[in-house]
Amino acid sequence: MAAAEGTPGALGTAVPPAPGPPPGPPPGPPPGPPPGPPPGPPPGPPLECSGDDAQAMGRDPLPVLRQILAACAFPELLESPAVPEAARSRARSVLREMDAGNIGGYNHEHRSHGVPARVSRFLEFRDGGVPCDPRDIVLCSGTATVIPFVLSLVVCPGSALPTGVLVPVPGPPLCAAAAGLAGAVPVPYPLDESRGWAVDVAALRREVREARSRCHPKVLWVVNPGDPTGHVLSRPDMESIVRLAAEEPLLLLADEVHQERAFAPERPFLSFKRVLAELGAPLATSVQLVSFYSLSKSAAGESGFRAGFLELVNVDEVVRQPFQLAQSIPRPCVPGRILLDLLMELPEEGDPVRRALEEHRRDLCRDLAANARRLQEELGRAPGIRCQPLAGGPRAFPRIRIPPRARSQARALGLEPDVFFCRKLQEATGLVVAPGSHFGMGGDSGHLGLSLLLPAPALERALLLLRRFHAQFLREFS
């Protein structure tokens, strides 16, 4: 779920830090001066360098999707040579499914049958043939709006203990916020930085059992690909998580909104639905799973149209029923639903619309991989900064060294040390990065969220400014 969706700058309610000391700090300051003094803040607005919104970060939309949508909204364009014939033809197909050929109506049939049927075929193709029933697909107006609703269905308001939702640390701020909105309490579980931010299943099991003295843990929220960590879970780790969910038992909430941002060939994205099915019975028929997909975090990156869906697997009927009520959750607007529907179409040889979409997906993964390599090369040469390997998602999450004097000054100002560093960085360079504490880490850990969605020139400038400023910061406070 992301995950699930965040906001540029990763603002939100932070998860309390998990117990246990963070890994040791990187090596000390560089022995000599940096290549040059850090430039002063550039003229104009600050450079946002931490967001997960592709188009806000500077990526272009896919023209053919906008052309189809424009022709659907303004049918006179169906005869205009300004719109390519392939887009006009696809728009005519869309309008044939609309009530009276108009996207201005509610178009309930399109929402309740047409789009879910194509989503189910897309998921079967993605998951190597694992069956998907269209009745298990629930369309929503973005995952951030529907997750609190999902969590509320497992909350028992009259219980002596509150419902607990296990949330990853670090993870999207939405995790803790959604739990609170649903009337539950977040139970942080730590990701293992030393293993590339993998889920430590033994530590997770301890968190579940220790939490039972203060809450009733019912939900395990897993973000894959990871945000802000940039990891993609391995199949063995996913199988261990599924077994844990079966043993405890827990509803498995699979926040898979960044699945189309998995860019490392050696670590391909696998859905929890596929892993669960391939484990076979009894797990495949007993573990309850809710997974999420978002138009905002798809290859299209159309955040402004607010559309997505969730899939229910092995979910109790009492939980399913509220999803069937038309007004129970916010539904996507018709334009957003059309864009989501277009992304669900399966590849077809010779189809220019599909070809354009597949090229757009490949370009996104290529650019993310190139940015990840460049970031790790640049920061790997900077003493006092280190970053775990990256395989997917919108961000990197490097750790920086913050000297004790800087930590003391931050606390004197009532700030977390990572927030203090980020403010100093913005004042000196104009760069806006997200402190690790926004993602639930303790401010002493010294992590930063950096976007991989930036255009390459903007990322190059951001990395240069960050390296130079950090070297100066170490000299000033060491």
Side-chain angles (χ1 to χ4, degrees), residues 7-9 47-60 261 394-395 432 450-456 458-459:
T7 56
L47 175 60
E48 169 57 60
C49 298
S50 65
D52 63 355
D53 183 336
Q55 294 186 30
M57 289 293 99
R59 292 197 65 85
D60 293 328
R261 294 171 173 177
R395 282 181 266 243
V432 179
L450 291 172
S451 180
L452 297 176
L453 294 165
L454 289 167
L459 180 65

Side-chain angles (χ1 to χ4, degrees), residues 448-470:
L448 305 175
L450 291 172
S451 180
L452 297 176
L453 294 165
L454 289 167
L459 180 65
E460 287 282 355
R461 174 169 173 77
L463 294 174
L464 174 64
L465 291 174
L466 175 59
R467 285 182 58 211
R468 289 182 174 180
F469 174 78
H470 185 249

Side-chain angles (χ1 to χ4, degrees), residues 131-151:
C132 177
D133 189 332
R135 293 173 297 180
D136 293 334
I137 304 301
V138 180
L139 303 185
C140 58
S141 62
T143 54
T145 59
V146 75
I147 290 177
F149 174 80
V150 173
L151 296 177

